Amino acid sequence: NAGVMQNPRHLVRRRGQEARLRCSPMKGHSHVYWYRQLPEEGLKFMVYLQKENIIDESGMPKERFSAEFPKEGPSILRIQQVVRGDSAAYFCASSTADHTGELFFGEGSRLTVL
Amino acid sequence: DAKTTQPTSMDCAEGRAANLPCNHSTISGNEYVYWYRQIHSQGPQYIIHGLKNNETNEMASLIITEDRKSSTLILPHATLRDTAVYYCIVRSNSGYALNFGKGTSLLVTP
């Protein structure tokens, strides 16, 4: 039973380019969370999605960042016009149910902006 | 969600029990205590959670004081692979996000 799959594991972008990070939740999970971890810092919640719905985006930067979880396919975190400060590890987690604190995390996608 | 306070770092000898404390003095009645850990560069891993009663699973035990203002995560026989940052998180089941603080960096030594 595969866990949460994230790709790419490592992504290098130049300033101004776009970054797309993908997350396939565990089988049977319909709830997806995205977290960001800056170097030497803790994990910060970004957004919580269910299929075709953004439920809580209180941690998302107001500009350049967007997330979706379509009916078919993985969840996508999109960062437009990346800047050096976007360099971080981005973790996706999934769960079976609403309001549960038991999340299953992927191994993360590490974005480096040159 | 209530705030938690954890020591910045702890050491433990391999094979001994690791006892990681957490203070959550402002916890409210509907808030659960969750523990996660993050081994270097990996995704966080759920360990255990509880509301009032002590809990035990294959990974650890969680002891919650009667007034619920503090708790202790116990790894009964620590191994080198238990070296990680351990996060104590208080969360109500009406919320969505888990808010990770700075955690405790546990170093298990040979």
Side-chain angles (χ1 to χ4, degrees), chain A residues 18-60:
Chain A
E18 178 179 288
R20 284 191 181 222
L21 309 177
R22 288 175 290 278
C23 170
S24 296
M26 284 182 69
K27 187 176 180 180
H29 289 195
S30 59
H31 303 257
V32 165
Y33 307 75
W34 285 94
Y35 283 78
R36 177 166 67 174
Q37 188 169 33
L38 296 169
E40 307 302 322
E41 293 191 15
L43 291 122
K44 301 296 183 187
F45 167 76
M46 298 181 77
V47 62
Y48 162 50
L49 310 102
Q50 296 177 21
K51 287 281 187 182
E52 299 184 281
N53 284 305
I54 297 174
I55 306 301
D56 181 354
E57 56 181 347
S58 57
M60 286 281 269

Side-chain angles (χ1 to χ4, degrees), chain A residues 9 33 35 37 41-45 48 55-56 91 98-107 110, chain B residues 34 36 38 40-46 49 87 91-102:
Chain A
R9 293 293 309 277
Y33 307 75
Y35 283 78
Q37 188 169 33
E41 293 191 15
L43 291 122
K44 301 296 183 187
F45 167 76
Y48 162 50
I55 306 301
D56 181 354
F91 290 96
D98 208 353
H99 299 300
T100 177
E102 188 173 346
L103 306 186
F104 295 82
F105 282 81
E107 291 303 310
R110 280 149 186 84
Chain B
Y34 286 85
Y36 278 75
Q38 186 176 24
H40 181 64
S41 297
Q42 297 183 18
Q45 178 187 24
Y46 165 82
H49 76 281
Y87 298 96
R91 177 188 177 277
S92 79
N93 273 3
S94 61
Y96 298 114
L98 286 171
N99 294 309
F100 290 79
K102 296 188 182 301

Side-chain angles (χ1 to χ4, degrees), chain B residues 21-33:
Chain B
C22 179
N23 285 323
H24 30 80
S25 59
T26 60
I27 194 170
S28 58
N30 66 343
E31 289 181 317
Y32 288 72
V33 180

